Amino acid sequence: FSFFERDRKLQGLPATFDRRNPDPPFSRQQYAATLGGPLKKDRAWLFGALEYRKQDGAVLVGQRDVATRTIRRNFAPAPLNDLLGIARADFKLSDKDQLNLRYAAENAEDTGASTLERSIGSASQRQQSRNRYHSGLVNYTRVLSPTAANSFSFSVNNYLNRTQPVTTGPQLTFPSLQDGASFRVPQRTEMNRLQFSDTLSLIRGAHTLKFGGEVQRIDAGFFLGVFQQG
């Protein structure tokens, strides 16, 4: 088990930071743990790992001061939450057969700045993103003889990315500030993949020969919702 802490009070500002701006808020905590061991002696093993990151950051933003015709600078929240995990199991079914299982996943959500055409954007120019990833793998290996082995694998992968504005409305582009909501979002990318593969390995003297094949089916979609709000 491990724990990592980083706080604004424990770090200094970079030399290039403009001291006329307020100090940026920031904190990060990371938790991680692993666990593994035999389920059955010389026959089955299990391993798992988990990591969670929580970060409270900020992005530098500008706000129009109509009375003084200036841009006042401040910070807007930019939180991040990221959870990752992996689990693996190995089984020795016999002296010639081995089975491996693995599952991995990640779920991340964060808020950050959109792509800017000006030096600074307003707080409403931020965007929220979510990334979700799942992956599963099954591998079966059979020793056919002292000089031949066959390995079959099946895997499934699922990926989703979704990005959307923090508010609705048109983008307002001024000479020194980008205000309103970004016209580049919402966006969404999704992919599902199935993969089958089989490999036969042969040893012939000092040479190793491998033969096999692989089949993949990919279903993907992309949504680009630009210019929807003017």
Side-chain angles (χ1 to χ4, degrees), residues 51-68:
E51 181 176 342
Y52 175 67
R53 177 174 50 148
K54 176 179 174 57
Q55 179 173 295
D56 294 318
V59 293
L60 184 65
V61 297
Q63 182 178 3
R64 288 178 291 144
D65 191 327
V66 180
T68 61

Side-chain angles (χ1 to χ4, degrees), residues 15 21 29 51 59 69 76 78 88 136 151 166 182 186 190 193:
N21 297 321
Q29 295 84 38
E51 181 176 342
V59 293
R69 296 185 178 182
R88 173 168 176 162
S151 178
V166 297
S182 174
E190 187 170 6
R193 181 177 67 176

Side-chain angles (χ1 to χ4, degrees), residues 63-93:
Q63 182 178 3
R64 288 178 291 144
D65 191 327
V66 180
T68 61
R69 296 185 178 182
T70 58
I71 304 298
R72 293 189 288 110
R73 298 197 169 195
N74 208 332
F75 289 96
L80 166 67
N81 292 279
D82 189 10
L83 177 65
L84 303 96
I86 185 171
R88 173 168 176 162
D90 297 274
F91 302 93
K92 187 177 180 182
L93 305 178

